[in-house]
Every structure is written in C-alpha cells, then in structure tokens.
Coordinates of all heavy atoms in Angstrom, one line a residue:
M786 N -8.6 -43.0 -8.9 CA -7.6 -42.3 -9.8 C -8.0 -40.8 -10.0 O -9.2 -40.6 -10.3 CB -7.5 -43.0 -11.1 CG -6.2 -43.2 -11.7 SD -6.0 -43.8 -13.4 CE -6.7 -45.5 -13.2
D787 N -7.1 -39.9 -9.8 CA -7.5 -38.5 -10.0 C -7.4 -38.2 -11.5 O -7.0 -39.0 -12.3 CB -6.6 -37.6 -9.2 CG -5.2 -37.6 -9.6 OD1 -4.9 -38.2 -10.6 OD2 -4.4 -37.0 -8.9
N788 N -8.0 -37.0 -11.8 CA -8.1 -36.6 -13.2 C -6.8 -36.5 -13.9 O -6.6 -36.9 -15.1 CB -8.9 -35.3 -13.4 CG -10.3 -35.5 -13.2 OD1 -10.9 -36.6 -13.2 ND2 -11.0 -34.4 -12.8
K789 N -5.7 -36.0 -13.2 CA -4.4 -35.9 -13.8 C -3.8 -37.3 -14.1 O -3.3 -37.5 -15.3 CB -3.5 -35.1 -12.9 CG -2.1 -34.9 -13.5 CD -1.2 -34.1 -12.5 CE 0.2 -33.9 -13.2 NZ 1.1 -33.2 -12.3
T790 N -4.0 -38.2 -13.2 CA -3.5 -39.6 -13.4 C -4.2 -40.2 -14.6 O -3.6 -40.9 -15.5 CB -3.6 -40.4 -12.2 OG1 -2.9 -39.8 -11.2 CG2 -3.0 -41.8 -12.4
K791 N -5.5 -40.1 -14.7 CA -6.3 -40.6 -15.8 C -5.9 -40.0 -17.1 O -5.7 -40.7 -18.1 CB -7.8 -40.3 -15.6 CG -8.5 -41.2 -14.6 CD -10.0 -40.9 -14.5 CE -10.7 -41.6 -13.5 NZ -12.1 -41.3 -13.4
S792 N -5.6 -38.8 -17.1 CA -5.2 -38.0 -18.4 C -3.9 -38.6 -18.8 O -3.6 -38.9 -20.0 CB -5.1 -36.6 -18.1 OG -4.6 -35.9 -19.3
Q793 N -2.9 -38.8 -17.8 CA -1.6 -39.4 -18.2 C -1.7 -40.8 -18.7 O -1.0 -41.2 -19.7 CB -0.7 -39.3 -17.0 CG -0.2 -37.9 -16.6 CD 0.5 -37.8 -15.3 OE1 0.4 -38.8 -14.4 NE2 1.3 -36.8 -15.1
V794 N -2.6 -41.6 -18.1 CA -2.7 -43.0 -18.5 C -3.4 -43.0 -19.9 O -2.9 -43.7 -20.8 CB -3.6 -43.8 -17.5 CG1 -4.0 -45.1 -18.0 CG2 -2.8 -44.0 -16.2
S795 N -4.4 -42.2 -20.1 CA -5.0 -42.0 -21.4 C -4.0 -41.6 -22.5 O -4.1 -42.3 -23.6 CB -6.2 -41.1 -21.4 OG -6.8 -41.0 -22.6
D796 N -3.2 -40.7 -22.2 CA -2.2 -40.2 -23.2 C -1.3 -41.4 -23.5 O -0.9 -41.6 -24.7 CB -1.4 -39.0 -22.7 CG -2.3 -37.7 -22.7 OD1 -3.3 -37.7 -23.3 OD2 -1.8 -36.8 -22.0
S797 N -0.8 -42.1 -22.5 CA 0.1 -43.2 -22.8 C -0.5 -44.3 -23.6 O 0.1 -44.9 -24.5 CB 0.7 -43.8 -21.4 OG 1.4 -42.9 -20.8
L798 N -1.9 -44.6 -23.3 CA -2.5 -45.6 -24.1 C -2.7 -45.2 -25.5 O -2.6 -46.0 -26.5 CB -3.8 -45.9 -23.4 CG -3.8 -46.8 -22.1 CD1 -5.2 -46.8 -21.5 CD2 -3.3 -48.2 -22.4
Q799 N -3.1 -43.9 -25.7 CA -3.2 -43.4 -27.1 C -1.9 -43.5 -27.9 O -1.9 -43.8 -29.0 CB -3.8 -42.0 -27.0 CG -5.2 -42.0 -26.6 CD -5.8 -40.6 -26.4 OE1 -5.1 -39.6 -26.5 NE2 -7.0 -40.5 -26.2
S800 N -0.8 -43.2 -27.2 CA 0.5 -43.3 -27.8 C 0.8 -44.8 -28.2 O 1.3 -45.0 -29.3 CB 1.6 -42.7 -27.0 OG 1.5 -41.4 -26.7
A801 N 0.5 -45.6 -27.3 CA 0.7 -47.1 -27.5 C -0.2 -47.5 -28.7 O 0.3 -48.3 -29.6 CB 0.5 -47.9 -26.3
H802 N -1.4 -47.0 -28.7 CA -2.3 -47.4 -29.8 C -1.7 -47.0 -31.2 O -1.7 -47.7 -32.1 CB -3.7 -46.8 -29.6 CG -4.7 -47.1 -30.6 ND1 -4.9 -46.3 -31.6 CD2 -5.4 -48.2 -30.9 CE1 -5.8 -46.8 -32.4 NE2 -6.2 -48.0 -32.0
S803 N -1.2 -45.7 -31.2 CA -0.7 -45.2 -32.4 C 0.5 -46.0 -32.9 O 0.7 -46.3 -34.1 CB -0.2 -43.8 -32.2 OG -1.3 -42.9 -32.0
L804 N 1.4 -46.5 -32.0 CA 2.5 -47.3 -32.3 C 2.1 -48.6 -32.8 O 2.6 -49.2 -33.8 CB 3.5 -47.5 -31.1 CG 4.2 -46.3 -30.7 CD1 4.9 -46.5 -29.4 CD2 5.2 -45.8 -31.8
A805 N 1.0 -49.2 -32.2 CA 0.5 -50.5 -32.7 C -0.1 -50.4 -34.1 O 0.1 -51.3 -34.9 CB -0.6 -51.1 -31.7
V806 N -0.7 -49.3 -34.4 CA -1.3 -49.1 -35.7 C -0.1 -48.9 -36.7 O -0.2 -49.5 -37.8 CB -2.2 -47.8 -35.8 CG1 -2.6 -47.4 -37.2 CG2 -3.5 -48.1 -35.0
L807 N 0.9 -48.2 -36.3 CA 2.1 -48.0 -37.2 C 2.7 -49.4 -37.5 O 3.1 -49.7 -38.6 CB 3.1 -47.1 -36.6 CG 2.8 -45.6 -36.7 CD1 3.8 -44.8 -35.9 CD2 2.7 -45.1 -38.1
L808 N 2.8 -50.2 -36.5 CA 3.4 -51.6 -36.6 C 2.6 -52.5 -37.6 O 3.0 -53.1 -38.5 CB 3.6 -52.3 -35.3 CG 4.1 -53.7 -35.3 CD1 5.4 -53.8 -36.0 CD2 4.1 -54.3 -33.9
A809 N 1.2 -52.3 -37.5 CA 0.3 -53.1 -38.3 C 0.5 -52.7 -39.7 O 0.5 -53.5 -40.7 CB -1.1 -52.8 -37.8
R810 N 0.7 -51.3 -40.0 CA 0.8 -50.9 -41.3 C 2.1 -51.3 -41.9 O 2.2 -51.6 -43.1 CB 0.7 -49.3 -41.4 CG -0.7 -48.9 -41.2 CD -0.8 -47.3 -41.2 NE -2.2 -46.9 -41.0 CZ -2.5 -45.7 -40.6 NH1 -1.6 -44.8 -40.5 NH2 -3.8 -45.4 -40.4
A811 N 3.2 -51.2 -41.1 CA 4.5 -51.6 -41.5 C 4.6 -53.1 -41.8 O 5.6 -53.6 -42.5 CB 5.6 -51.1 -40.5
S812 N 3.8 -53.9 -41.2 CA 3.9 -55.4 -41.3 C 2.9 -56.0 -42.2 O 2.5 -57.2 -42.0 CB 3.9 -56.0 -39.9 OG 2.6 -55.8 -39.3
E813 N 2.4 -55.3 -43.1 CA 1.3 -55.8 -43.9 C 1.7 -57.1 -44.7 O 0.9 -57.9 -45.0 CB 0.8 -54.7 -44.9 CG 0.0 -53.7 -44.2 CD -0.4 -52.6 -45.2 OE1 0.0 -52.5 -46.3 OE2 -1.3 -51.8 -44.8
D814 N 3.0 -57.2 -45.0 CA 3.5 -58.4 -45.7 C 3.8 -59.6 -44.8 O 4.1 -60.6 -45.2 CB 4.7 -58.1 -46.6 CG 4.5 -57.0 -47.6 OD1 3.3 -57.1 -48.2 OD2 5.3 -56.3 -48.1
D815 N 3.8 -59.3 -43.5 CA 4.1 -60.4 -42.5 C 2.7 -60.6 -41.7 O 2.5 -60.0 -40.7 CB 5.2 -59.9 -41.6 CG 5.6 -60.9 -40.5 OD1 4.9 -62.0 -40.4 OD2 6.5 -60.6 -39.8
L816 N 1.9 -61.5 -42.2 CA 0.6 -61.7 -41.6 C 0.6 -62.0 -40.2 O -0.3 -61.4 -39.5 CB -0.2 -62.7 -42.5 CG -0.5 -62.3 -43.9 CD1 -1.3 -63.4 -44.6 CD2 -1.3 -61.0 -43.9
P817 N 1.4 -62.8 -39.6 CA 1.3 -63.1 -38.2 C 1.6 -61.8 -37.3 O 0.9 -61.6 -36.4 CB 2.3 -64.2 -37.9 CG 2.5 -64.9 -39.2 CD 2.3 -63.8 -40.2
T818 N 2.6 -61.1 -37.7 CA 2.9 -59.8 -37.0 C 1.9 -58.8 -37.2 O 1.5 -58.2 -36.3 CB 4.3 -59.3 -37.5 OG1 5.3 -60.3 -37.3 CG2 4.7 -58.0 -36.8
N819 N 1.3 -58.7 -38.4 CA 0.3 -57.8 -38.7 C -1.0 -58.1 -37.9 O -1.6 -57.3 -37.2 CB -0.1 -57.8 -40.1 CG -1.2 -56.9 -40.6 OD1 -2.4 -57.3 -40.6 ND2 -0.9 -55.7 -40.8
H820 N -1.3 -59.4 -37.7 CA -2.5 -59.8 -37.0 C -2.3 -59.5 -35.5 O -3.2 -59.0 -34.8 CB -2.7 -61.4 -37.1 CG -4.0 -61.8 -36.4 ND1 -5.2 -61.5 -36.8 CD2 -4.0 -62.7 -35.4 CE1 -6.1 -62.1 -36.0 NE2 -5.4 -62.7 -35.1
A821 N -1.0 -59.8 -34.9 CA -0.8 -59.5 -33.6 C -0.9 -58.0 -33.3 O -1.5 -57.5 -32.2 CB 0.6 -60.0 -33.2
A822 N -0.3 -57.2 -34.2 CA -0.4 -55.7 -34.1 C -1.8 -55.1 -34.1 O -2.2 -54.3 -33.3 CB 0.4 -55.0 -35.2
L823 N -2.6 -55.7 -34.9 CA -4.0 -55.3 -35.0 C -4.7 -55.7 -33.7 O -5.6 -54.9 -33.2 CB -4.7 -55.9 -36.2 CG -4.3 -55.4 -37.5 CD1 -5.0 -56.2 -38.7 CD2 -4.8 -54.0 -37.7
Q824 N -4.5 -56.9 -33.1 CA -5.1 -57.2 -31.8 C -4.6 -56.3 -30.7 O -5.5 -56.0 -29.9 CB -4.8 -58.7 -31.6 CG -5.5 -59.7 -32.4 CD -5.1 -61.1 -32.0 OE1 -4.0 -61.5 -31.7 NE2 -6.2 -62.0 -31.9
I825 N -3.4 -56.0 -30.7 CA -2.8 -55.1 -29.7 C -3.5 -53.7 -29.8 O -4.0 -53.2 -28.8 CB -1.3 -55.0 -29.8 CG1 -0.6 -56.3 -29.4 CG2 -0.8 -53.8 -28.9 CD1 0.8 -56.3 -29.7
A826 N -3.6 -53.2 -31.0 CA -4.3 -51.9 -31.3 C -5.7 -52.0 -30.8 O -6.2 -51.0 -30.1 CB -4.2 -51.5 -32.7
Q827 N -6.5 -53.1 -31.0 CA -7.9 -53.2 -30.6 C -8.0 -53.2 -29.1 O -8.9 -52.6 -28.6 CB -8.5 -54.4 -31.3 CG -8.7 -54.2 -32.8 CD -9.1 -55.5 -33.5 OE1 -9.0 -56.6 -32.9 NE2 -9.5 -55.4 -34.7
L828 N -7.1 -54.0 -28.5 CA -7.1 -54.1 -27.0 C -6.8 -52.7 -26.4 O -7.5 -52.3 -25.4 CB -6.1 -55.1 -26.5 CG -6.5 -56.6 -26.8 CD1 -5.3 -57.5 -26.4 CD2 -7.7 -56.9 -26.0
I829 N -5.8 -52.0 -26.9 CA -5.5 -50.7 -26.3 C -6.7 -49.7 -26.6 O -7.0 -49.0 -25.7 CB -4.2 -50.1 -27.0 CG1 -3.0 -51.0 -26.6 CG2 -4.0 -48.7 -26.6 CD1 -1.8 -50.7 -27.3
D830 N -7.3 -49.8 -27.7 CA -8.4 -48.9 -28.0 C -9.6 -49.2 -27.0 O -10.2 -48.2 -26.5 CB -8.9 -49.1 -29.4 CG -9.9 -48.1 -29.9 OD1 -9.6 -46.9 -29.7 OD2 -10.9 -48.5 -30.5
K831 N -9.8 -50.5 -26.7 CA -10.9 -50.8 -25.7 C -10.5 -50.2 -24.4 O -11.3 -49.7 -23.6 CB -11.0 -52.3 -25.7 CG -11.8 -52.9 -26.8 CD -11.9 -54.4 -26.6 CE -12.5 -55.0 -27.8 NZ -12.7 -56.5 -27.7
S832 N -9.2 -50.3 -24.0 CA -8.8 -49.7 -22.7 C -8.9 -48.2 -22.7 O -9.4 -47.7 -21.6 CB -7.3 -50.1 -22.5 OG -7.1 -51.5 -22.5
V833 N -8.6 -47.6 -23.7 CA -8.8 -46.1 -23.7 C -10.3 -45.8 -23.6 O -10.6 -44.9 -22.8 CB -8.2 -45.5 -25.1 CG1 -8.7 -44.0 -25.2 CG2 -6.8 -45.6 -25.1
N834 N -11.1 -46.5 -24.3 CA -12.6 -46.2 -24.2 C -13.1 -46.5 -22.7 O -13.9 -45.8 -22.2 CB -13.4 -47.0 -25.2 CG -13.1 -46.6 -26.6 OD1 -12.7 -45.4 -26.8 ND2 -13.3 -47.4 -27.6
A835 N -12.7 -47.6 -22.2 CA -13.0 -48.0 -20.8 C -12.6 -46.9 -19.8 O -13.3 -46.6 -18.8 CB -12.4 -49.4 -20.4
L836 N -11.4 -46.4 -20.0 CA -10.9 -45.4 -19.1 C -11.7 -44.1 -19.2 O -12.0 -43.5 -18.2 CB -9.4 -45.1 -19.4 CG -8.7 -44.2 -18.5 CD1 -8.6 -44.7 -17.1 CD2 -7.3 -43.8 -19.0
G837 N -12.1 -43.8 -20.4 CA -12.9 -42.7 -20.6 C -14.3 -42.7 -20.0 O -14.9 -41.8 -19.6
D838 N -14.8 -44.0 -19.8 CA -16.1 -44.2 -19.3 C -16.1 -44.1 -17.7 O -17.2 -44.1 -17.1 CB -16.6 -45.6 -19.6 CG -17.1 -45.7 -21.1 OD1 -17.2 -44.6 -21.7 OD2 -17.1 -46.8 -21.6
Q839 N -15.0 -44.0 -17.1 CA -14.9 -44.0 -15.6 C -15.2 -42.7 -15.1 O -15.0 -41.7 -15.6 CB -13.5 -44.4 -15.1 CG -13.2 -45.9 -15.4 CD -11.9 -46.3 -14.7 OE1 -11.2 -45.5 -14.2 NE2 -11.6 -47.6 -14.9

C-alpha cells in the first residue's frame, strides 16, 4: 500500500471510530447497543494503530 492509500484508509477508520464513539455515547441507556458500539470503536482503534505500525 502506498502512503496516500494508507492515509485515506487511516482517515476513513478514524471517521468510523468517531461515529462508533458517538453511537456509544448516544446509546448509554441501551446497554446491548452501547456494548456493541464500544466493541466496534475498540476494534477500529486497533486497526488504526496496526495501520500506523506498517
């Protein structure tokens, strides 16, 4: 993957992470949805970190 592609993928993952965090905050009263949103956010965060390590 070239640097431009990595940057685009990283930007997309960071946007997805932000949306997952917003969903987690908005769903604090709905525990199953909140738990799923938190798991999604954590997985995306790991992906962003792994991409940065390449």
Side-chain angles (χ1 to χ4, degrees):
M786 225 186 293
D787 64 8
N788 286 339
K789 183 178 179 183
T790 302
K791 282 184 185 180
S792 177
Q793 289 171 338
V794 170
S795 179
D796 288 346
S797 294
L798 285 170
Q799 288 174 353
S800 294
H802 179 263
S803 294
L804 290 172
V806 170
L807 285 173
L808 177 59
R810 289 180 181 163
S812 65
E813 288 179 345
D814 294 333
D815 181 357
L816 292 181
T818 303
N819 182 264
H820 184 69
L823 288 173
Q824 286 182 317
I825 291 167
Q827 290 170 348
L828 288 171
I829 293 171
D830 192 47
K831 287 180 185 179
S832 296
V833 169
N834 292 336
L836 184 63
D838 291 341
Q839 289 185 358

